[in-house]
Amino acid sequence: MTAKAIERLDGIGPLAERYRVFLLDQFGVLHDGQAPYPGAVEALSALKRAGKTVVLISNSGKRAKPNEDRLLKLGFAAGSWDHFVSSGEVAWRSFNDMAASGKLSPGTKCLLISRDGDRTAIEGLPFMLTEAGDDAELVLISASEGDRYDLDHYRRLLAPAAARKVPCFCTNPDRIMLTAVGPRFGAGEIADLYEDLGGGVTRIGKPYPAIFEAALALAGKPDRGSVVCVGDSVEHDIAGGNVAGIATALVLSGILAETPDLAAVFDEQQAWPDYITGSFSFR
């Protein structure tokens, strides 16, 4: 892929005139984990009033419902999106299918790396939780507590499992996450660590095709020329949209907000957006 002309926008209004289906990231686009960005609540509702199909597509290791519940608590209007696809939901359904077919044994010992003790990523699955890498039979990295622990904490926890080549799944490939104390390393960085320790990792989420295919299927398998993916990450949203063959818009309210040289980021990732906008607002 080569560099292309990028159109600068003041908001998403022009996109609503050109596209019928919107695949929207949440963190860094709609909110920062603590509060909505200015204009985001109104913009999301405006897309639905304009008759657009809105699918929220997120590298969250949690399932869809907890994510949707949080959006409602943050003040986003019920009914302002049609579907929510999280990497955690895609993974849960895959594990559930494996259990139903017998490929996943009941009582499989799972070392779950999550946030704030959250267990929703495995509720209803035939896993037995373990807190040690020594006896784990599967490792699931669904979130990071990089604002609480350093990487050495995860190195000590994961090294025994990696040494035994225990299968690892990462349901949040983001390497950077936004927290109340600023950007910290995300679950994707922990997955990289697991590989450095000698283990293998299956990543589920953006930019990998499965989550885009799931989102487009829920949207009714639209013509890809009618779809735009809006996100704040070149590595995940823009690169994933490029591979999926859909238009992309980079929002500068998230992890790239203070980046002085965007062109260098595009060249490094070999991914280029069609549009850049400062915020997810309906202008």
Side-chain angles (χ1 to χ4, degrees):
M1 183 175 291
T2 57
K4 57 187 176 183
I6 300 171
E7 185 176 348
R8 298 268 179 167
L9 305 174
D10 291 328
I12 64 164
L15 300 180
E17 298 174 2
R18 303 173 194 179
Y19 300 97
R20 184 173 61 83
V21 178
F22 283 71
L23 305 186
L24 304 179
D25 185 31
Q26 58 163 338
F27 284 98
V29 174
L30 299 179
H31 64 85
D32 63 3
Q34 309 297 317
Y37 289 116
V41 172
E42 295 81 1
L44 193 61
S45 293
L47 286 178
K48 284 308 302 169
R49 287 197 302 272
K52 308 302 177 180
T53 298
V54 176
V55 182
L56 304 185
I57 176 171
S58 173
N59 274 2
S60 167
K62 293 184 178 182
R63 296 190 64 188
K65 188 177 185 305
N67 278 287
E68 292 183 290
D69 289 344
R70 174 170 50 193
L71 286 173
L72 296 174
K73 289 179 181 177
L74 287 175
F76 289 91
S80 58
W81 63 90
D82 295 286
H83 306 284
F84 195 110
V85 181
S86 69
S87 48
E89 183 71 29
V90 173
W92 189 94
R93 293 182 181 276
S94 176
F95 287 134
N96 193 51
D97 290 344
M98 290 167 63
S101 66
K103 294 179 181 178
L104 184 65
S105 302
T108 295
K109 292 182 179 179
C110 174
L111 174 59
L112 175 64
I113 307 297
S114 64
R115 189 168 178 81
D116 299 324
D118 181 67
R119 298 290 181 263
T120 58
I122 61 168
E123 281 182 356
L125 296 174
F127 290 136
M128 180 183 297
L129 280 177
T130 179
E131 296 184 358
D134 305 89
D135 64 348
E137 298 170 305
L138 183 148
V139 175
L140 177 56
I141 305 173
S142 70
S144 164
E145 291 186 302
D147 50 346
R148 183 177 299 176
Y149 302 112
D150 59 18
L151 276 174
D152 282 338
H153 165 82
Y154 291 105
R155 182 176 287 107
R156 291 189 295 270
L157 182 62
L158 294 171
R164 294 187 295 111
K165 307 295 184 185
V166 172
C168 175
F169 296 83
C170 176
T171 56
N172 186 339
D174 291 356
R175 291 183 171 86
I176 301 173
M177 66 173 181
L178 300 175
T179 77
V181 294
R184 292 294 185 269
F185 65 85
E189 191 75 20
I190 301 173
D192 290 348
L193 171 65
Y194 194 81
E195 288 180 324
D196 291 342
L197 292 169
V201 179
T202 299
R203 291 172 174 82
I204 301 172
K206 298 175 290 185
Y208 305 102
I211 193 168
F212 284 92
E213 295 302 327
L216 291 168
L218 285 171
K221 298 183 178 179
D223 179 274
R224 301 206 178 195
S226 69
V227 182
V228 62
C229 174
V230 183
D232 73 319
S233 168
V234 176
E235 180 181 2
H236 301 106
D237 303 299
I238 306 307
N242 287 173
V243 171
I246 58 181
T248 59
L250 180 68
V251 179
L252 299 180
S253 53
I255 59 174
L256 297 178
E258 305 298 326
T259 302
D261 188 356
L262 288 172
V265 178
F266 301 150
D267 290 341
E268 178 186 0
Q269 297 296 333
Q270 288 294 289
W272 291 267
D274 297 281
Y275 309 96
I276 293 176
T277 178
S279 66
F280 184 79
S281 53
F282 206 84
R283 291 184 292 199

